[in-house]
């Protein structure tokens, strides 16, 4: 059975520490990346647009020695209704792995079930685990760059997530935080509180429901080591855009919000950002902001994830 990476808990904390150590090495000596995937061909099947994920995986696969194929529903027979089961079986006969960005998370589970090669979640409506591993690595890299175990300094740290607390990024922080021992405090309108699906996932994983949800953003950011936000209108939510933009206004990350967090707190965003909506331009440009380090680290961490998957 191949190993898949569909959610934050698919690697044990010890494996995550190994991935982070490997990512650090790959970052320090990018041109000397061991060609772990030489001779392999990996499909990248994207049902949604992407800048960071697509480019970092395509470059990462190349640097690991593999050939990346960019695929979409519209340029394959998926658009003519070929079943997921048949598509997964056929693709598994050619490819050594599949990296998939989609709407319904179940599609990832179906590809994993029906195919016979590793499947990587490049974002679903439910979770974005490649981003969370990268963000945790990025936090550790700032807090304790030379640590033997880069996951150690994450334990007990508090991350405040402001805005759509029911989106894929919020779910992923809840799951990833519980898995690696970080405290997660979310703030947003009551209608966008964390939903039942992520609570069920925590319970399924045997993880305690330790996150907190607040409607007052100042309560969530009090004593936070990291303040995080994401777009208020995720891909697929466009029909609700106008209402969401109104409802989320009180949750914009401003300099005032950053001042209410722990002194020296980091500001993070998975990007793309909408300056003036979920975050002010001033915060994006501030010294606290590590948004472009996060974006860069997608490359190094995902290379390490792929290497671990095939090890
Ligand atoms: N953060 C992120 O996943 O960005 P893209 O949508 O550009 O891939
Ligand atoms: N929540 C956002 C994340 C983008 C990387 C979305 O799904 O559009």
């Amino acid at each position: 059975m191949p190993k898949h990476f569909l959610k934050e808990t698919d690697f044990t904390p010890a494996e995550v520490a190994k991935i982070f150590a490997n990512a650090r090495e790959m970052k320090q000596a990018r041109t000397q990346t061991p060609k772990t995937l030489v001779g392999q061909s990996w499909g990248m099947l994207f049902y949604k647009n992407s800048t960071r994920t697509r480019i970092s995986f395509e470059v990462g696969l190349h640097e690991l020695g593999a050939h990346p194929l960019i695929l979409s529903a519209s340029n394959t027979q998926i658009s003519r209704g070929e079943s997921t089961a048949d598509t997964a079986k056929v693709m598994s006969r050619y490819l050594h792995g599949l990296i998939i960005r989609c709407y319904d998370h179940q599609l990832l589970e179906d590809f994993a079930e029906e195919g016979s090669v590793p499947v990587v979640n490049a974002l679903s409506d439910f979770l974005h685990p490649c981003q969370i591993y990268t963000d945790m690595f990025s936090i550790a890299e700032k807090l304790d760059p030379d640590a033997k175990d880069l996951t150690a300094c994450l334990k007990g740290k508090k991350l405040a997530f402001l805005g759509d607390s029911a989106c894929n990024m919020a779910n992923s922080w809840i799951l990833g935080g519980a898995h690696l021992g970080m405290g997660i405090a979310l703030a947003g309108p009551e209608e966008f509180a964390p939903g039942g699906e992520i609570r069920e996932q925590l319970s399924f994983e045997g993880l305690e429901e330790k996150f907190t949800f607040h409607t007052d953003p100042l309560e969530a950011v009090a004593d936070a080591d990291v303040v995080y936000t994401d777009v208020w209108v995720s891909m697929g939510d466009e029909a609700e855009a106008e209402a969401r933009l109104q409802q989320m206004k009180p949750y914009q990350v401003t300099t005032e919000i950053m001042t209410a967090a722990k002194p020296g707190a980091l500001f993070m965003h998975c990007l793309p950002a909408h300056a003036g909506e979920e975050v002010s331009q001033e915060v994006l440009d501030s010294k606290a902001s590590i948004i472009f380090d996060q974006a860069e680290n997608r490359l190094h961490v995902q290379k390490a994830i792929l290497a671990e998957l095939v090890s």
Side-chain angles (χ1 to χ4, degrees):
M1 284 297 283
K3 182 152 178 61
H4 307 292
F5 182 53
L6 306 187
K7 55 187 192 297
E8 286 70 10
T9 42
D10 283 344
F11 289 112
T12 64
E15 287 168 334
V16 179
K18 189 176 162 208
I19 288 168
F20 286 7
N22 201 9
R24 178 171 54 190
E25 269 182 41
M26 288 179 175
K27 184 171 183 174
Q28 284 164 357
R30 182 169 165 192
T31 54
Q32 283 142 47
T33 299
K35 303 267 185 263
T36 326
L37 306 188
V38 77
Q40 297 198 1
S41 296
W42 281 61
M44 293 171 54
L45 178 56
F46 278 48
Y47 292 77
K48 290 176 175 175
N49 289 338
S50 165
T51 297
R52 281 143 289 270
T53 310
R54 188 199 135 159
I55 297 174
S56 56
F57 265 121
E58 191 171 346
V59 171
L61 284 163
H62 167 73
E63 292 184 6
L64 288 162
H67 172 63
L69 284 91
I70 311 297
L71 307 164
S72 72
S74 60
N75 68 14
T76 58
Q77 299 288 18
I78 295 170
S79 60
R80 274 177 72 203
E82 186 163 19
S83 72
T84 301
D86 287 2
T87 305
K89 286 184 175 71
V90 169
M91 287 187 175
S92 295
R93 297 287 178 115
Y94 306 125
L95 303 171
H96 297 87
L98 266 169
I99 295 162
I100 304 177
R101 169 168 285 201
C102 62
Y103 291 87
D104 188 353
H105 189 83
Q106 184 59 45
L107 188 77
L108 291 163
E109 305 273 1
D110 293 346
F111 264 97
E113 177 74 24
E114 300 290 348
S116 51
V117 295
V119 176
V120 174
N121 179 0
L123 179 148
S124 70
D125 284 347
F126 184 40
L127 296 170
H128 195 4
C130 291
Q131 182 73 53
I132 292 300
Y133 274 26
T134 302
D135 294 341
M136 287 179 163
F137 174 85
S138 305
I139 297 168
E141 189 187 41
K142 295 290 169 198
L143 298 183
D144 196 1
D146 302 320
K148 190 159 179 285
D149 175 354
L150 279 164
T151 62
C153 69
L154 300 174
K155 289 187 183 62
K157 292 289 180 301
K158 177 178 175 182
L159 180 138
F161 183 97
L162 265 54
D164 181 0
S165 302
C167 77
N168 44 15
M169 283 303 304
N171 288 339
S172 271
W173 271 117
I174 290 171
L175 189 57
H179 191 45
L180 272 300
M182 288 180 73
I184 309 297
L186 304 102
E190 198 67 61
E191 303 89 296
F192 297 95
E197 200 181 356
I198 191 62
R199 292 175 195 274
E200 278 167 30
Q201 191 67 43
L202 284 175
S203 141
F204 172 79
E205 306 282 350
L207 291 166
E208 262 186 82
E209 217 180 88
K210 282 195 183 155
F211 69 89
T212 59
F213 175 71
H214 312 258
T215 49
D216 179 352
L218 291 173
E219 262 180 33
V221 299
D223 216 26
D225 301 281
V226 180
V227 178
Y228 201 106
T229 193
D230 183 14
V231 290
W232 289 340
V233 184
S234 284
M235 290 178 278
D237 293 331
E238 290 81 3
E240 301 168 14
E242 216 167 299
R244 282 169 167 259
L245 296 184
Q246 286 309 317
Q247 282 171 294
M248 308 262 192
K249 265 187 182 162
Y251 302 94
Q252 183 185 93
V253 181
T254 57
T255 300
E256 190 194 351
I257 288 281
M258 289 305 296
T259 310
K262 199 179 261 182
L266 301 171
F267 170 73
M268 300 179 74
H269 193 312
C270 53
L271 303 180
H274 291 90
E277 291 182 14
E278 73 274 7
V279 57
S280 69
Q281 188 67 54
E282 192 177 35
V283 170
L284 283 169
D285 295 339
S286 68
K287 255 177 60 191
S289 172
I290 61 163
I291 55 174
F292 298 115
D293 295 321
Q294 287 175 259
E296 178 191 332
N297 287 336
R298 295 290 301 277
L299 172 67
H300 312 300
V301 172
Q302 286 163 191
K303 280 165 68 181
I305 290 170
L306 293 173
E308 184 62 23
L309 271 181
V310 300
S311 68

